[in-house]
Amino acid sequence: DSHKHKDKYKDKEHKHKDHKKDKEREKSKYSNRYDVTADSSSFDLFGDMVQINNVLVLALCGAILVACVGMLVYILPSLCFFMPFRWEEERYTDGVKWKFLEHKGPVFAPPYDPLPSNVKFYYDGKHMKLSSTAEEVATFFAKMLDHEYTTKEVFRKNFYKDWRKEMTSEEKSKITDLNKCDFSEMSEYFKAQSEARKAMTKEDKQKIKEENERILQEYGFCIMDNHKERIANFRIEPPGLFRGRGDHPKMGMLKRRIRSEDIIVNCSKDSKHPKPPPGTKWKEVRHDNKVTWLVSWTENIQGSIKYIMLNPSSRIKGEKDWQKYETARRLKKCVERIRAQYRDDWKSKEMRIRQRAVALYFIDKLALRAGNEKEEGETADTVGCCSLRVEHLTLHQEMGGQEYVVEFDFLGKDSIRYYNKVPVEKRVFKNLQLFMEDKEPEDDLFDRLNTSILNKHLQELMDGLTAKVFRTYNASITLQQQLNEITNSEDNVPAKILSYNRANRAVAILCNHQRAPPKTFEKSMQNLQTKIDAKKEQLADAKRELKSAKADAKVRRDEKSKKAVESKKKAVQRIEEQLMKLEVQATDREENKQIALGTSKLNYLDPRISIAWCKKFGIQIEKIYNKTQREKFAWAIDMAGKDFQF
DNA sequence: CGCGGAACTTAGGATGCTATAG
DNA sequence: CTATAGCATCCTAAGTTCCGCG
């Protein structure tokens, strides 16, 4: 039965006549698999649902086991799982995201716990007792004292300005210079606290763990249309000092405490509404089923809205994720046509079209982000494709034996540097020269283009196409090609996994997913090398022993010595394997020094590619996806057979 | 049609937990 | 049994795209 169901998936996947209808169809196919039970509009969140969830978990295990091992025992729960209960019900239209939503609201940050009186703050060398409000803000600074950014002028200035707002008038008049403030006792106190926490007894740690688990069980789940779903971030962000990335003009500003009165709750009318803490009120309770969030509030640094939403394992997120990859797969079918067109557009007599075409070429070839305009002075100065400035590229007529090389050097998202030298077609090069003519370094490269114009154009080329689809498409197709190319079916499991990681790495490099080399990198590399050396020695010993055993067997010619040879042979083999495993590990780690694989794995690579690869080469999925990842990609694990190709 | 706000995805670093080496 | 490395999870900032309004 489960196989029949899978075939249904495949059939529908190939029909793409009408995109809109198709989307709806996908939704119904998908949502049905996570259905738990037939009826009832409201559950007791904290009683019955636990059991129902167990059924779901059991059924899911059942389904996987049936697919993988075909164990008869598990067929029954799996049948329940695939039963088309409520088959039609979740086929939503017009942007409706749910029909029923019930949750317990957010968990607020713990209230401020004042310092013990022996922990003092000094101003200009003299002890000064701060008001509770001013003290709280001071502790935020004290907690960051060891961090580099408390030395940065902007950080200090912003902090000081916001801190003063929280002071009493007396404090304001006394404290006039941040440099005269001594937070060191506070800082020491917090360090000691964190040491004490680490040194707690097992029992105390266990208690904390249990309490966290209790809160998770109470607040960490919601019910959306008969599914008990995990909430991603049910805890409200605690107050603190804003830490932007890169050179952020607002670093050090005070992120204020969020109260009930700031919170908008979203849930269905007929649900048990979440209760605000005693004596407080929500800002608003609304029932908007065209959005997916449960709770929102406005943050005070940028004035943007923050949301509480569901975990990636949820139906609503999984469905969206699937849709994303299906869009990318549709791009695959028409990407050559689109490429032909933008190459043609390089010759257009209209400047705006040439710019659009060159930008699209960069997005396609280099997997650059779209690059929205940003408000100057509000955020760090970073760019993407459409917002590139003249100063971000250097043109080289000839470089390192190659013609028409473009050198990119700019800060992208999260102020991560993008540096790349790329040979481009002559026509692109000539266009770039034209775009840069008579411009200042700080002028926009594409002055007739922005993301809205670009995306409008893309929409005309393919339904649902936007700039970011190219990143998804190029990432996934690269993984697929690399895996097809470099996996050797003769290899052992660790070698195959090295191949997988290398394919993953090719994508991470394409997408410029970098990380700071781990602080302990050199050391851990050395440790590994030591292990390898030891293993080599062990191997030499084992080989010597084998040799002498062989010689011994030749002389003695008895059963016992023959057996000894065999066991020594086995030992050599085993050690060789271990050595190989270590060496593979070393290679992998070295190549991974400054590259982060996680981001592409989680956000850009169609999981069905990886799952199909595992199935094809007999690799356990656990070897490439950890628990969280398997939960997020449950839809794909269920769906992809060994022959899936992106 | 442009703009700003809302909604949602993508991102790296910090922190916490656990397996394993010593 | 303890220290630590390495991985998982948490955290929330920083993007993209959508959407509605004047």
Side-chain angles (χ1 to χ4, degrees), chain A residues 12-42:
Chain A
K12 289 192 179 177
E13 253 168 45
H14 293 300
K15 290 179 196 160
H16 279 292
K17 300 249 164 63
D18 178 340
H19 177 50
K20 285 253 167 73
K21 273 184 193 160
D22 208 60
K23 262 192 196 166
E24 296 305 322
R25 231 181 293 139
E26 281 169 6
K27 274 191 190 171
S28 69
K29 274 184 298 170
Y30 179 68
S31 56
N32 140 68
R33 333 205 92 213
Y34 290 85
D35 267 355
V36 179
T37 178
D39 209 352
S40 150
S41 55
S42 170

PDB file of all heavy atoms in Angstrom, chain A residues 12-42:
ATOM      1  N   LYS A  12       2.190  12.491 -10.113  1.00  0.00           N
ATOM      2  CA  LYS A  12       1.772  13.886 -10.067  1.00  0.00           C
ATOM      3  C   LYS A  12       2.953  14.828 -10.238  1.00  0.00           C
ATOM      4  O   LYS A  12       2.800  15.915 -10.755  1.00  0.00           O
ATOM      5  CB  LYS A  12       1.064  14.159  -8.740  1.00  0.00           C
ATOM      6  CG  LYS A  12      -0.283  13.479  -8.697  1.00  0.00           C
ATOM      7  CD  LYS A  12      -1.104  13.980  -7.544  1.00  0.00           C
ATOM      8  CE  LYS A  12      -2.467  13.297  -7.543  1.00  0.00           C
ATOM      9  NZ  LYS A  12      -3.258  13.704  -6.382  1.00  0.00           N
ATOM     10  N   GLU A  13       4.089  14.393  -9.798  1.00  0.00           N
ATOM     11  CA  GLU A  13       5.251  15.255  -9.902  1.00  0.00           C
ATOM     12  C   GLU A  13       5.547  15.691 -11.330  1.00  0.00           C
ATOM     13  O   GLU A  13       6.123  16.735 -11.562  1.00  0.00           O
ATOM     14  CB  GLU A  13       6.489  14.525  -9.357  1.00  0.00           C
ATOM     15  CG  GLU A  13       6.916  15.061  -8.027  1.00  0.00           C
ATOM     16  CD  GLU A  13       7.923  14.148  -7.382  1.00  0.00           C
ATOM     17  OE1 GLU A  13       8.850  13.710  -8.098  1.00  0.00           O
ATOM     18  OE2 GLU A  13       7.777  13.871  -6.184  1.00  0.00           O
ATOM     19  N   HIS A  14       5.204  14.846 -12.274  1.00  0.00           N
ATOM     20  CA  HIS A  14       5.606  15.154 -13.635  1.00  0.00           C
ATOM     21  C   HIS A  14       4.618  16.021 -14.396  1.00  0.00           C
ATOM     22  O   HIS A  14       4.884  16.472 -15.486  1.00  0.00           O
ATOM     23  CB  HIS A  14       5.859  13.855 -14.405  1.00  0.00           C
ATOM     24  CG  HIS A  14       7.042  13.135 -13.854  1.00  0.00           C
ATOM     25  ND1 HIS A  14       8.291  13.701 -13.830  1.00  0.00           N
ATOM     26  CD2 HIS A  14       7.159  11.929 -13.267  1.00  0.00           C
ATOM     27  CE1 HIS A  14       9.138  12.846 -13.262  1.00  0.00           C
ATOM     28  NE2 HIS A  14       8.467  11.769 -12.905  1.00  0.00           N
ATOM     29  N   LYS A  15       3.463  16.208 -13.828  1.00  0.00           N
ATOM     30  CA  LYS A  15       2.474  17.041 -14.522  1.00  0.00           C
ATOM     31  C   LYS A  15       2.642  18.486 -14.102  1.00  0.00           C
ATOM     32  O   LYS A  15       2.551  18.805 -12.935  1.00  0.00           O
ATOM     33  CB  LYS A  15       1.066  16.561 -14.170  1.00  0.00           C
ATOM     34  CG  LYS A  15       0.750  15.218 -14.773  1.00  0.00           C
ATOM     35  CD  LYS A  15      -0.651  14.820 -14.347  1.00  0.00           C
ATOM     36  CE  LYS A  15      -0.874  13.348 -14.571  1.00  0.00           C
ATOM     37  NZ  LYS A  15      -2.000  12.865 -13.766  1.00  0.00           N
ATOM     38  N   HIS A  16       2.872  19.321 -15.038  1.00  0.00           N
ATOM     39  CA  HIS A  16       3.057  20.726 -14.682  1.00  0.00           C
ATOM     40  C   HIS A  16       2.333  21.644 -15.629  1.00  0.00           C
ATOM     41  O   HIS A  16       2.830  22.689 -16.011  1.00  0.00           O
ATOM     42  CB  HIS A  16       4.534  21.088 -14.635  1.00  0.00           C
ATOM     43  CG  HIS A  16       5.172  20.671 -13.363  1.00  0.00           C
ATOM     44  ND1 HIS A  16       4.858  21.249 -12.157  1.00  0.00           N
ATOM     45  CD2 HIS A  16       6.082  19.704 -13.082  1.00  0.00           C
ATOM     46  CE1 HIS A  16       5.557  20.675 -11.212  1.00  0.00           C
ATOM     47  NE2 HIS A  16       6.303  19.725 -11.741  1.00  0.00           N
ATOM     48  N   LYS A  17       1.163  21.250 -16.029  1.00  0.00           N
ATOM     49  CA  LYS A  17       0.418  22.042 -17.007  1.00  0.00           C
ATOM     50  C   LYS A  17       0.088  23.416 -16.432  1.00  0.00           C
ATOM     51  O   LYS A  17       0.432  24.442 -16.975  1.00  0.00           O
ATOM     52  CB  LYS A  17      -0.883  21.327 -17.380  1.00  0.00           C
ATOM     53  CG  LYS A  17      -0.653  19.957 -17.980  1.00  0.00           C
ATOM     54  CD  LYS A  17      -1.017  19.941 -19.466  1.00  0.00           C
ATOM     55  CE  LYS A  17      -0.424  18.727 -20.145  1.00  0.00           C
ATOM     56  NZ  LYS A  17      -0.945  17.448 -19.619  1.00  0.00           N
ATOM     57  N   ASP A  18      -0.597  23.397 -15.314  1.00  0.00           N
ATOM     58  CA  ASP A  18      -1.015  24.649 -14.701  1.00  0.00           C
ATOM     59  C   ASP A  18      -0.369  24.727 -13.330  1.00  0.00           C
ATOM     60  O   ASP A  18      -0.678  23.963 -12.438  1.00  0.00           O
ATOM     61  CB  ASP A  18      -2.543  24.649 -14.602  1.00  0.00           C
ATOM     62  CG  ASP A  18      -3.061  25.914 -13.934  1.00  0.00           C
ATOM     63  OD1 ASP A  18      -2.290  26.585 -13.223  1.00  0.00           O
ATOM     64  OD2 ASP A  18      -4.226  26.210 -14.117  1.00  0.00           O
ATOM     65  N   HIS A  19       0.489  25.655 -13.197  1.00  0.00           N
ATOM     66  CA  HIS A  19       1.279  25.761 -11.979  1.00  0.00           C
ATOM     67  C   HIS A  19       0.410  25.921 -10.732  1.00  0.00           C
ATOM     68  O   HIS A  19       0.601  25.277  -9.724  1.00  0.00           O
ATOM     69  CB  HIS A  19       2.240  26.932 -12.110  1.00  0.00           C
ATOM     70  CG  HIS A  19       3.040  27.155 -10.883  1.00  0.00           C
ATOM     71  ND1 HIS A  19       3.716  26.136 -10.258  1.00  0.00           N
ATOM     72  CD2 HIS A  19       3.272  28.261 -10.162  1.00  0.00           C
ATOM     73  CE1 HIS A  19       4.326  26.621  -9.203  1.00  0.00           C
ATOM     74  NE2 HIS A  19       4.067  27.904  -9.110  1.00  0.00           N
ATOM     75  N   LYS A  20      -0.547  26.806 -10.826  1.00  0.00           N
ATOM     76  CA  LYS A  20      -1.390  27.093  -9.657  1.00  0.00           C
ATOM     77  C   LYS A  20      -2.113  25.844  -9.186  1.00  0.00           C
ATOM     78  O   LYS A  20      -2.088  25.492  -8.025  1.00  0.00           O
ATOM     79  CB  LYS A  20      -2.411  28.186  -9.998  1.00  0.00           C
ATOM     80  CG  LYS A  20      -1.798  29.564 -10.074  1.00  0.00           C
ATOM     81  CD  LYS A  20      -2.190  30.415  -8.873  1.00  0.00           C
ATOM     82  CE  LYS A  20      -1.349  31.674  -8.760  1.00  0.00           C
ATOM     83  NZ  LYS A  20      -1.668  32.680  -9.768  1.00  0.00           N
ATOM     84  N   LYS A  21      -2.755  25.190 -10.129  1.00  0.00           N
ATOM     85  CA  LYS A  21      -3.488  23.970  -9.792  1.00  0.00           C
ATOM     86  C   LYS A  21      -2.525  22.940  -9.219  1.00  0.00           C
ATOM     87  O   LYS A  21      -2.841  22.220  -8.294  1.00  0.00           O
ATOM     88  CB  LYS A  21      -4.166  23.389 -11.035  1.00  0.00           C
ATOM     89  CG  LYS A  21      -5.533  23.987 -11.294  1.00  0.00           C
ATOM     90  CD  LYS A  21      -6.184  23.287 -12.473  1.00  0.00           C
ATOM     91  CE  LYS A  21      -7.383  24.065 -12.940  1.00  0.00           C
ATOM     92  NZ  LYS A  21      -7.745  23.699 -14.315  1.00  0.00           N
ATOM     93  N   ASP A  22      -1.375  22.930  -9.817  1.00  0.00           N
ATOM     94  CA  ASP A  22      -0.361  21.984  -9.415  1.00  0.00           C
ATOM     95  C   ASP A  22       0.024  22.174  -7.957  1.00  0.00           C
ATOM     96  O   ASP A  22       0.140  21.232  -7.202  1.00  0.00           O
ATOM     97  CB  ASP A  22       0.867  22.201 -10.288  1.00  0.00           C
ATOM     98  CG  ASP A  22       1.648  20.931 -10.424  1.00  0.00           C
ATOM     99  OD1 ASP A  22       1.068  19.963 -10.940  1.00  0.00           O
ATOM    100  OD2 ASP A  22       2.804  20.912  -9.978  1.00  0.00           O
ATOM    101  N   LYS A  23       0.187  23.424  -7.597  1.00  0.00           N
ATOM    102  CA  LYS A  23       0.535  23.753  -6.218  1.00  0.00           C
ATOM    103  C   LYS A  23      -0.509  23.190  -5.287  1.00  0.00           C
ATOM    104  O   LYS A  23      -0.190  22.589  -4.276  1.00  0.00           O
ATOM    105  CB  LYS A  23       0.566  25.273  -6.040  1.00  0.00           C
ATOM    106  CG  LYS A  23       1.944  25.871  -6.131  1.00  0.00           C
ATOM    107  CD  LYS A  23       1.878  27.308  -5.655  1.00  0.00           C
ATOM    108  CE  LYS A  23       3.092  28.080  -6.078  1.00  0.00           C
ATOM    109  NZ  LYS A  23       2.904  29.530  -5.924  1.00  0.00           N
ATOM    110  N   GLU A  24      -1.759  23.411  -5.638  1.00  0.00           N
ATOM    111  CA  GLU A  24      -2.830  22.929  -4.786  1.00  0.00           C
ATOM    112  C   GLU A  24      -2.767  21.422  -4.651  1.00  0.00           C
ATOM    113  O   GLU A  24      -2.931  20.864  -3.579  1.00  0.00           O
ATOM    114  CB  GLU A  24      -4.204  23.332  -5.366  1.00  0.00           C
ATOM    115  CG  GLU A  24      -4.428  24.835  -5.403  1.00  0.00           C
ATOM    116  CD  GLU A  24      -4.230  25.467  -4.023  1.00  0.00           C
ATOM    117  OE1 GLU A  24      -4.631  24.853  -3.025  1.00  0.00           O
ATOM    118  OE2 GLU A  24      -3.643  26.568  -3.958  1.00  0.00           O
ATOM    119  N   ARG A  25      -2.522  20.777  -5.758  1.00  0.00           N
ATOM    120  CA  ARG A  25      -2.457  19.331  -5.751  1.00  0.00           C
ATOM    121  C   ARG A  25      -1.331  18.858  -4.834  1.00  0.00           C
ATOM    122  O   ARG A  25      -1.495  17.968  -4.037  1.00  0.00           O
ATOM    123  CB  ARG A  25      -2.213  18.819  -7.173  1.00  0.00           C
ATOM    124  CG  ARG A  25      -3.195  17.746  -7.571  1.00  0.00           C
ATOM    125  CD  ARG A  25      -2.893  17.261  -8.968  1.00  0.00           C
ATOM    126  NE  ARG A  25      -3.134  18.277  -9.978  1.00  0.00           N
ATOM    127  CZ  ARG A  25      -2.335  18.490 -11.016  1.00  0.00           C
ATOM    128  NH1 ARG A  25      -1.240  17.783 -11.159  1.00  0.00           N
ATOM    129  NH2 ARG A  25      -2.627  19.412 -11.890  1.00  0.00           N
ATOM    130  N   GLU A  26      -0.205  19.512  -4.977  1.00  0.00           N
ATOM    131  CA  GLU A  26       0.932  19.154  -4.141  1.00  0.00           C
ATOM    132  C   GLU A  26       0.557  19.264  -2.676  1.00  0.00           C
ATOM    133  O   GLU A  26       0.844  18.404  -1.868  1.00  0.00           O
ATOM    134  CB  GLU A  26       2.114  20.079  -4.422  1.00  0.00           C
ATOM    135  CG  GLU A  26       2.852  19.675  -5.681  1.00  0.00           C
ATOM    136  CD  GLU A  26       3.858  20.729  -6.111  1.00  0.00           C
ATOM    137  OE1 GLU A  26       4.054  21.695  -5.367  1.00  0.00           O
ATOM    138  OE2 GLU A  26       4.406  20.573  -7.209  1.00  0.00           O
ATOM    139  N   LYS A  27      -0.125  20.349  -2.367  1.00  0.00           N
ATOM    140  CA  LYS A  27      -0.509  20.575  -0.978  1.00  0.00           C
ATOM    141  C   LYS A  27      -1.326  19.413  -0.458  1.00  0.00           C
ATOM    142  O   LYS A  27      -1.067  18.917   0.610  1.00  0.00           O
ATOM    143  CB  LYS A  27      -1.329  21.860  -0.863  1.00  0.00           C
ATOM    144  CG  LYS A  27      -0.467  23.068  -0.704  1.00  0.00           C
ATOM    145  CD  LYS A  27      -1.333  24.241  -0.326  1.00  0.00           C
ATOM    146  CE  LYS A  27      -0.527  25.516  -0.411  1.00  0.00           C
ATOM    147  NZ  LYS A  27      -1.376  26.686  -0.267  1.00  0.00           N
ATOM    148  N   SER A  28      -2.330  19.004  -1.226  1.00  0.00           N
ATOM    149  CA  SER A  28      -3.206  17.986  -0.690  1.00  0.00           C
ATOM    150  C   SER A  28      -2.477  16.657  -0.555  1.00  0.00           C
ATOM    151  O   SER A  28      -2.640  15.953   0.414  1.00  0.00           O
ATOM    152  CB  SER A  28      -4.451  17.845  -1.554  1.00  0.00           C
ATOM    153  OG  SER A  28      -4.090  17.287  -2.791  1.00  0.00           O
ATOM    154  N   LYS A  29      -1.637  16.366  -1.496  1.00  0.00           N
ATOM    155  CA  LYS A  29      -0.873  15.116  -1.427  1.00  0.00           C
ATOM    156  C   LYS A  29      -0.054  15.088  -0.157  1.00  0.00           C
ATOM    157  O   LYS A  29       0.030  14.119   0.544  1.00  0.00           O
ATOM    158  CB  LYS A  29       0.152  15.049  -2.584  1.00  0.00           C
ATOM    159  CG  LYS A  29      -0.379  14.506  -3.848  1.00  0.00           C
ATOM    160  CD  LYS A  29       0.760  14.411  -4.855  1.00  0.00           C
ATOM    161  CE  LYS A  29       1.343  15.766  -5.162  1.00  0.00           C
ATOM    162  NZ  LYS A  29       2.574  15.686  -5.946  1.00  0.00           N
ATOM    163  N   TYR A  30       0.559  16.226   0.064  1.00  0.00           N
ATOM    164  CA  TYR A  30       1.521  16.302   1.145  1.00  0.00           C
ATOM    165  C   TYR A  30       0.857  16.289   2.501  1.00  0.00           C
ATOM    166  O   TYR A  30       1.181  15.486   3.356  1.00  0.00           O
ATOM    167  CB  TYR A  30       2.340  17.576   0.983  1.00  0.00           C
ATOM    168  CG  TYR A  30       3.348  17.751   2.070  1.00  0.00           C
ATOM    169  CD1 TYR A  30       4.422  16.882   2.156  1.00  0.00           C
ATOM    170  CD2 TYR A  30       3.198  18.735   3.016  1.00  0.00           C
ATOM    171  CE1 TYR A  30       5.344  17.013   3.157  1.00  0.00           C
ATOM    172  CE2 TYR A  30       4.115  18.873   4.018  1.00  0.00           C
ATOM    173  CZ  TYR A  30       5.192  18.013   4.094  1.00  0.00           C
ATOM    174  OH  TYR A  30       6.089  18.149   5.091  1.00  0.00           O
ATOM    175  N   SER A  31      -0.099  17.191   2.668  1.00  0.00           N
ATOM    176  CA  SER A  31      -0.646  17.380   4.005  1.00  0.00           C
ATOM    177  C   SER A  31      -1.292  16.104   4.517  1.00  0.00           C
ATOM    178  O   SER A  31      -1.235  15.812   5.696  1.00  0.00           O
ATOM    179  CB  SER A  31      -1.661  18.501   3.981  1.00  0.00           C
ATOM    180  OG  SER A  31      -2.645  18.199   3.029  1.00  0.00           O
ATOM    181  N   ASN A  32      -1.844  15.350   3.625  1.00  0.00           N
ATOM    182  CA  ASN A  32      -2.519  14.140   4.020  1.00  0.00           C
ATOM    183  C   ASN A  32      -1.606  13.164   4.765  1.00  0.00           C
ATOM    184  O   ASN A  32      -2.025  12.471   5.673  1.00  0.00           O
ATOM    185  CB  ASN A  32      -3.115  13.512   2.764  1.00  0.00           C
ATOM    186  CG  ASN A  32      -2.970  12.020   2.774  1.00  0.00           C
ATOM    187  OD1 ASN A  32      -3.592  11.356   3.575  1.00  0.00           O
ATOM    188  ND2 ASN A  32      -2.122  11.524   1.914  1.00  0.00           N
ATOM    189  N   ARG A  33      -0.356  13.181   4.431  1.00  0.00           N
ATOM    190  CA  ARG A  33       0.547  12.223   5.051  1.00  0.00           C
ATOM    191  C   ARG A  33       0.759  12.518   6.525  1.00  0.00           C
ATOM    192  O   ARG A  33       1.200  11.659   7.263  1.00  0.00           O
ATOM    193  CB  ARG A  33       1.928  12.251   4.408  1.00  0.00           C
ATOM    194  CG  ARG A  33       1.945  12.686   2.997  1.00  0.00           C
ATOM    195  CD  ARG A  33       3.147  12.115   2.342  1.00  0.00           C
ATOM    196  NE  ARG A  33       2.753  10.855   1.771  1.00  0.00           N
ATOM    197  CZ  ARG A  33       3.533   9.813   1.674  1.00  0.00           C
ATOM    198  NH1 ARG A  33       4.736   9.845   2.169  1.00  0.00           N
ATOM    199  NH2 ARG A  33       3.117   8.719   1.114  1.00  0.00           N
ATOM    200  N   TYR A  34       0.513  13.716   6.919  1.00  0.00           N
ATOM    201  CA  TYR A  34       0.770  14.031   8.310  1.00  0.00           C
ATOM    202  C   TYR A  34      -0.504  14.072   9.123  1.00  0.00           C
ATOM    203  O   TYR A  34      -0.504  14.460  10.267  1.00  0.00           O
ATOM    204  CB  TYR A  34       1.540  15.352   8.401  1.00  0.00           C
ATOM    205  CG  TYR A  34       2.922  15.167   7.904  1.00  0.00           C
ATOM    206  CD1 TYR A  34       3.216  15.255   6.558  1.00  0.00           C
ATOM    207  CD2 TYR A  34       3.931  14.794   8.792  1.00  0.00           C
ATOM    208  CE1 TYR A  34       4.488  15.018   6.100  1.00  0.00           C
ATOM    209  CE2 TYR A  34       5.206  14.563   8.345  1.00  0.00           C
ATOM    210  CZ  TYR A  34       5.479  14.674   6.989  1.00  0.00           C
ATOM    211  OH  TYR A  34       6.754  14.447   6.553  1.00  0.00           O
ATOM    212  N   ASP A  35      -1.594  13.681   8.508  1.00  0.00           N
ATOM    213  CA  ASP A  35      -2.837  13.682   9.233  1.00  0.00           C
ATOM    214  C   ASP A  35      -2.804  12.644  10.322  1.00  0.00           C
ATOM    215  O   ASP A  35      -2.289  11.552  10.164  1.00  0.00           O
ATOM    216  CB  ASP A  35      -3.996  13.390   8.282  1.00  0.00           C
ATOM    217  CG  ASP A  35      -4.574  14.676   7.783  1.00  0.00           C
ATOM    218  OD1 ASP A  35      -4.128  15.728   8.271  1.00  0.00           O
ATOM    219  OD2 ASP A  35      -5.451  14.633   6.921  1.00  0.00           O
ATOM    220  N   VAL A  36      -3.415  13.009  11.393  1.00  0.00           N
ATOM    221  CA  VAL A  36      -3.331  12.148  12.543  1.00  0.00           C
ATOM    222  C   VAL A  36      -4.631  11.404  12.761  1.00  0.00           C
ATOM    223  O   VAL A  36      -4.668  10.210  12.947  1.00  0.00           O
ATOM    224  CB  VAL A  36      -2.992  12.975  13.794  1.00  0.00           C
ATOM    225  CG1 VAL A  36      -2.932  12.078  14.992  1.00  0.00           C
ATOM    226  CG2 VAL A  36      -1.667  13.665  13.581  1.00  0.00           C
ATOM    227  N   THR A  37      -5.688  12.126  12.684  1.00  0.00           N
ATOM    228  CA  THR A  37      -6.949  11.504  13.049  1.00  0.00           C
ATOM    229  C   THR A  37      -8.090  12.130  12.267  1.00  0.00           C
ATOM    230  O   THR A  37      -7.908  13.132  11.595  1.00  0.00           O
ATOM    231  CB  THR A  37      -7.174  11.644  14.559  1.00  0.00           C
ATOM    232  OG1 THR A  37      -8.439  11.072  14.847  1.00  0.00           O
ATOM    233  CG2 THR A  37      -7.179  13.087  14.995  1.00  0.00           C
ATOM    234  N   ALA A  38      -9.248  11.525  12.371  1.00  0.00           N
ATOM    235  CA  ALA A  38     -10.319  11.933  11.478  1.00  0.00           C
ATOM    236  C   ALA A  38     -10.991  13.243  11.847  1.00  0.00           C
ATOM    237  O   ALA A  38     -11.077  14.144  11.047  1.00  0.00           O
ATOM    238  CB  ALA A  38     -11.362  10.838  11.417  1.00  0.00           C
ATOM    239  N   ASP A  39     -11.451  13.364  13.031  1.00  0.00           N
ATOM    240  CA  ASP A  39     -12.311  14.514  13.294  1.00  0.00           C
ATOM    241  C   ASP A  39     -11.881  15.255  14.557  1.00  0.00           C
ATOM    242  O   ASP A  39     -10.809  15.018  15.066  1.00  0.00           O
ATOM    243  CB  ASP A  39     -13.746  14.020  13.414  1.00  0.00           C
ATOM    244  CG  ASP A  39     -14.718  15.107  12.985  1.00  0.00           C
ATOM    245  OD1 ASP A  39     -14.266  16.251  12.764  1.00  0.00           O
ATOM    246  OD2 ASP A  39     -15.892  14.829  12.893  1.00  0.00           O
ATOM    247  N   SER A  40     -12.736  16.129  14.997  1.00  0.00           N
ATOM    248  CA  SER A  40     -12.540  16.942  16.198  1.00  0.00           C
ATOM    249  C   SER A  40     -11.811  18.222  15.848  1.00  0.00           C
ATOM    250  O   SER A  40     -10.756  18.220  15.229  1.00  0.00           O
ATOM    251  CB  SER A  40     -11.740  16.187  17.250  1.00  0.00           C
ATOM    252  OG  SER A  40     -10.998  17.070  18.045  1.00  0.00           O
ATOM    253  N   SER A  41     -12.403  19.312  16.231  1.00  0.00           N
ATOM    254  CA  SER A  41     -11.817  20.594  15.862  1.00  0.00           C
ATOM    255  C   SER A  41     -10.875  21.114  16.927  1.00  0.00           C
ATOM    256  O   SER A  41      -9.993  21.897  16.660  1.00  0.00           O
ATOM    257  CB  SER A  41     -12.926  21.610  15.609  1.00  0.00           C
ATOM    258  OG  SER A  41     -13.744  21.665  16.746  1.00  0.00           O
ATOM    259  N   SER A  42     -11.049  20.685  18.144  1.00  0.00           N
ATOM    260  CA  SER A  42     -10.156  21.194  19.186  1.00  0.00           C
ATOM    261  C   SER A  42      -9.728  20.064  20.116  1.00  0.00           C
ATOM    262  O   SER A  42     -10.531  19.269  20.551  1.00  0.00           O
ATOM    263  CB  SER A  42     -10.888  22.263  19.999  1.00  0.00           C
ATOM    264  OG  SER A  42     -10.123  22.585  21.126  1.00  0.00           O
TER     265      SER A  42
END
